[in-house]
Amino acid sequence: GADSSSNRAVTVLSVLGSQPVHHLSGRVIDMPGAGQKILQLRSGLIGRANNDEQILSAFLAGDAFSKSYIGYCHAVAHSLGGRYNIPHGLANAVILPYVLTAYGESIYKKTKQIAIYMHLADQNTPEKAAHERLIQWIFDTNRLLGIPDKLSGIWEEDIPTLAKHADKEANPLYPVPVLMNAKELEQFYYAIMK
């Protein structure tokens, strides 16, 4: 996924391994009537070919994660799941665009590669614009899938402790593109708090 493709220890295999995931995901979104396709995906009313693409996409994403470390997105999601029982996939989907935004120009080259593969940009697109298009695509896709951009139930008084847990998990184990301490990680909880 995008989070595993944006860290400092990405191997050539994990970047290449994650590209079909981005391509397949982008192809589903870019199809005519994409809103219907996404909603059908969520309700399970899709044809066999799309099921096969989704299975392959999920496998390749898992393979990319196994070849590279995961970033702050997952560390924050783990803390939310541990404290509030928020499903891990939901937390990651909500957090991901905020983390990619915070990584900023340190991942522009990599997010541009992903955006090109997903047909959101081309070689002539400036890196920052491609990065922003990818992040907007994540927000738009989440919205089409009914995934909220904020999560309810996060208590402000828990945020420093949650951020410390995420910091302890991520540092020094996850080779992320931008190092953040617990205080800096708090921004993600505030960003997604309803």
Side-chain angles (χ1 to χ4, degrees):
D3 196 34
S4 70
S5 296
S6 61
N7 72 46
R8 292 183 305 194
V10 171
T11 65
V12 171
L13 288 175
S14 69
V15 170
L16 294 177
S18 66
Q19 284 183 346
V21 176
H22 306 305
H23 179 67
L24 289 174
S25 297
R27 189 157 35 115
V28 170
I29 298 303
D30 289 339
M31 291 173 74
Q36 287 182 328
K37 287 289 183 188
I38 292 168
L39 294 174
Q40 288 176 340
L41 266 171
R42 188 160 189 252
S43 64
L45 301 174
I46 57 173
R48 182 164 170 66
N50 283 338
N51 272 338
D52 291 346
E53 287 182 348
Q54 290 301 306
I55 291 167
L56 176 61
S57 182
F59 169 78
L60 293 171
D63 187 53
F65 282 128
S66 72
K67 292 181 176 124
S68 63
Y69 292 95
I70 52 181
Y72 288 121
C73 184
H74 283 266
V76 171
H78 286 150
S79 69
L80 292 169
R83 175 69 175 108
Y84 305 114
N85 204 28
I86 294 172
H88 187 64
L90 173 63
N92 277 292
V94 173
I95 298 162
L96 183 62
Y98 297 101
V99 172
L100 294 179
T101 299
Y103 286 160
E105 65 182 84
S106 70
I107 61 168
Y108 281 178
K109 285 185 191 330
K110 291 177 184 176
T111 52
K112 180 176 178 176
Q113 287 178 320
I114 294 168
I116 290 170
Y117 210 86
M118 292 178 62
H119 308 288
L120 300 172
D122 59 34
Q123 293 296 336
N124 298 320
T125 306
E127 288 177 349
K128 182 178 181 182
H131 176 79
E132 291 169 348
R133 288 179 192 173
L134 176 63
I135 291 168
Q136 188 59 54
W137 181 88
I138 295 168
F139 276 120
D140 293 345
T141 301
N142 283 352
R143 194 171 305 110
L144 285 169
L145 291 171
I147 296 170
D149 59 352
K150 307 280 184 196
L151 296 172
S152 58
I154 300 171
W155 298 357
E156 187 170 1
E157 60 267 21
D158 288 344
I159 291 176
T161 302
L162 293 168
K164 284 179 189 170
H165 288 302
D167 180 48
K168 186 175 180 181
E169 176 183 334
N171 293 317
L173 297 177
Y174 299 165
V176 294
V178 175
L179 291 176
M180 296 180 202
N181 60 34
K183 189 70 178 161
E184 292 167 310
L185 291 175
E186 289 181 12
Q187 70 179 305
F188 302 121
Y189 300 93
Y190 286 109
I192 65 168
M193 188 172 88
K194 193 182 258 187

